Amino acid sequence: MSRAATVGVDIGTSSSKGVLVTTDGDVLATATREHAVDRPKPGFVEMDARIWWDEFAGICRELLSAPAADGVAVVAVGVSGMGPCALITDDAGEPLRPAILYGIDTRSTAQIERLTEEFGGADAIRERCGSALSTQAVGPKLAWLAENEPEVAARRRRLFMPSSWLGFRLTGEYYLDHHSASQCTPLHDASAQDWIPEWAHDVAPWVDLPPLLWPGEVAGRVTVDAAASTGLPAGVPVIAGTIDAWSEALSVGAQNDGDLMLMYGTTMFLVNTVPEPVTSSALWGTVGALPGTHNLAGGMATSGAITAWLRELFGSPGYPELIALAERSPAGAGGLLMLPYFAGERTPIADPDARGVIVGLTVSHTRGDLYRAALEATAFGVRHNIEVMEAAGGRIDRIVAVGGGAQGTLWTQIVSDVTGRPQAIPSLVVGASLGAAFLAAAAVGPADIDRWNPVVDVRSPRAEAAELYDELYALYRGLYVRTAETAHALADLQRRSASLVLAG
């Protein structure tokens, strides 16, 4: 007798990951494809969407050919992906240019300023949409396209994110999930949970806005052509997915009031579930991934991206070697302090021209010190976000860690030490692909995430580290203020230097 299973695939910033999971939560197989984003200019971060489909199809074929897949019947498919992104296609769903990625792409600062003024100011936009305009929002990116690439706007016509475009490729259905739409500020009304036609017309009249579905709703079924490309059975239901961080939260059961999902990845993401809509000038108020839920969210522009950068600078040693070196570095990294703003910063400072800073370097410092300083910098950023989150009205009763960086103990321990808060560590930190598979299972039958992914450990803060990290955190908060003017001048110089290189 065959075992029923679901496939979940997530398209992330640095890799695509997939899982094959039985409907009672046994992970049968996993698959990964690494990739890189394109950075054609300072502040520009893009990706060719065709890579998403190629990797998705390859992952599906690998999962279904795994020995553990023998005798398995796939009953549903789930997809999630990085976001909010802006992928513009023609009517047939063919991409007209590379997708513009989420808040790490900072090209639309001029459009943010203009649209904020046109729509009555940041407070008016936040009241209606849940968030003010920032580099995270899709609307200014669409306005940038209209102003800078009118040939794309002329061909228009459809707006996708990674999860919805893959869903379209699988089913032929055009849609977007409610949560992703809530990050398309200023096109979406958070209270009405629908598009704002008049604002959408002002920003991007050339885009046909997609119908909205809740994550987990069945969007369509795998077509014969898609089945031939992926190995998935034709006719199997495909659920509407969502943005990866929200799928990650679902994968660890962090969707109850007072839960905070802390995602350790290329970027660091925080999603706090709140009983009523909460807005903040420094954070993002969004519709939740499940009907009737609301979130207050934050995101750092870099976290794991910094450790990857250091690894490359150090000659690409293995991460286990670098972690071992960092473990030998004392708390405080031997007197090093880093600002993790290597791609600007999203929350809570919303400064696309912020830049990375390393202070305290001497010839005595080691690779381990630098690597530990990077981990501590991201922990200080998490603490800053949590403090702003609670000041805005969020309530944090439980923190659950997820993502690749949560697999070891050092990074999560540093974050608990810096924040003074315990973190629940679930059995599986696979992340968003597991959340997508879970949503798919829940769409076709009962599924219990606590059974799929129980908590197996708790990372508790160490009292002996509190005083030192409190002192360093105060220095961290002051360092940005003291260096911001210089960082902004250097960011401008970087843009001008890039222009000269391109012109040459």
Side-chain angles (χ1 to χ4, degrees), residues 305-317 319 322 367 371:
I306 304 174
T307 63
W309 171 74
L310 285 172
R311 178 174 176 261
E312 184 177 347
L313 286 183
F314 295 158
S316 299
Y319 283 114
L322 290 172
R367 293 186 300 166
Y371 200 84

Side-chain angles (χ1 to χ4, degrees), residues 287-453:
V287 173
L290 300 178
T293 61
H294 309 276
N295 297 126
L296 191 59
M300 298 168 60
T302 53
S303 57
I306 304 174
T307 63
W309 171 74
L310 285 172
R311 178 174 176 261
E312 184 177 347
L313 286 183
F314 295 158
S316 299
Y319 283 114
E321 178 185 343
L322 290 172
I323 291 169
L325 292 172
E327 287 175 332
R328 293 200 288 270
S329 177
L336 286 185
L337 186 61
M338 181 184 295
L339 292 182
Y341 308 147
F342 283 57
E345 187 54 298
R346 295 188 287 172
T347 68
I349 65 171
D351 185 355
D353 283 348
R355 289 295 181 266
V357 175
I358 304 174
V359 174
L361 275 170
T362 72
V363 293
S364 299
H365 282 110
T366 66
R367 293 186 300 166
D369 295 327
L370 279 165
Y371 200 84
R372 185 181 185 99
L375 300 182
E376 290 178 343
T378 62
F380 294 137
V382 169
R383 178 169 170 175
H384 192 186
N385 273 281
I386 286 176
E387 289 180 353
V388 173
M389 200 167 275
E390 290 187 322
R395 190 186 82 235
I396 299 172
D397 301 326
R398 183 178 74 125
I399 300 178
V400 187
V402 68
Q407 293 178 12
T409 59
L410 179 62
W411 198 358
T412 52
Q413 185 63 61
I414 288 172
V415 170
S416 281
D417 288 345
V418 166
T419 62
R421 297 167 186 262
Q423 296 173 79
I425 311 296
S427 173
L428 301 171
V429 292
V430 174
S433 58
L434 184 69
F438 172 75
L439 279 178
V444 296
D448 181 0
I449 194 59
D450 291 331
R451 180 179 175 184
W452 275 45
N453 197 11

Side-chain angles (χ1 to χ4, degrees), residues 26 105 116 132 254 378 457 465:
D26 292 335
D105 183 287
T116 296
T378 62
D457 197 6

Side-chain angles (χ1 to χ4, degrees), residues 72-239:
V72 167
V74 175
V75 296
V77 180
V79 182
S80 64
M82 57 186 163
C85 302
L87 172 63
I88 299 300
T89 77
D90 61 18
D91 286 331
E94 189 65 25
L96 299 178
R97 69 172 323 281
I100 300 176
L101 300 196
Y102 51 98
I104 58 176
D105 183 287
T106 60
R107 74 183 69 192
S108 59
T109 52
Q111 289 73 30
I112 290 168
E113 183 176 348
R114 176 176 63 78
L115 292 174
T116 296
E117 182 177 354
E118 287 183 9
F119 293 131
D123 290 342
I125 295 171
R126 186 164 49 247
E127 182 177 352
R128 189 166 189 186
C129 302
S131 303
L133 292 179
S134 69
T135 60
Q136 186 80 350
V138 167
K141 300 178 193 295
L142 299 179
W144 183 94
L145 281 173
E147 294 173 20
N148 293 274
E149 298 180 7
E151 69 280 5
V152 172
R155 295 178 63 190
R156 37 182 177 182
R157 150 97 63 186
R158 291 181 164 182
L159 169 65
F160 290 96
M161 295 193 193
S163 64
S164 63
W165 189 68
L166 291 180
F168 174 81
R169 290 293 304 264
L170 286 168
T171 68
E173 299 294 333
Y174 180 45
Y175 65 89
L176 189 65
D177 70 280
H178 277 279
H179 168 72
S180 296
S182 75
Q183 297 213 48
C184 290
T185 311
L187 311 183
H188 181 269
D189 189 312
S191 297
Q193 296 184 354
D194 203 354
W195 300 114
I196 305 174
E198 65 275 18
W199 285 10
H201 184 269
D202 286 346
V203 175
W206 42 278
V207 172
D208 287 338
L209 296 174
L212 299 179
L213 298 175
W214 283 104
E217 284 191 81
V218 174
R221 295 181 179 273
V222 176
T223 66
V224 172
D225 287 346
S229 297
T230 63
L232 294 167
V236 166
V238 178
I239 58 104

Side-chain angles (χ1 to χ4, degrees), residues 6-9 17-21 28-33 56-70:
T6 62
V7 168
V9 178
K17 298 177 181 179
V19 291
L20 178 67
V21 192
L28 302 177
T30 63
T32 301
R33 300 287 188 277
F56 175 85
I59 283 172
C60 287
R61 290 192 296 269
E62 180 177 340
L63 292 173
L64 297 176
S65 64
D70 288 345

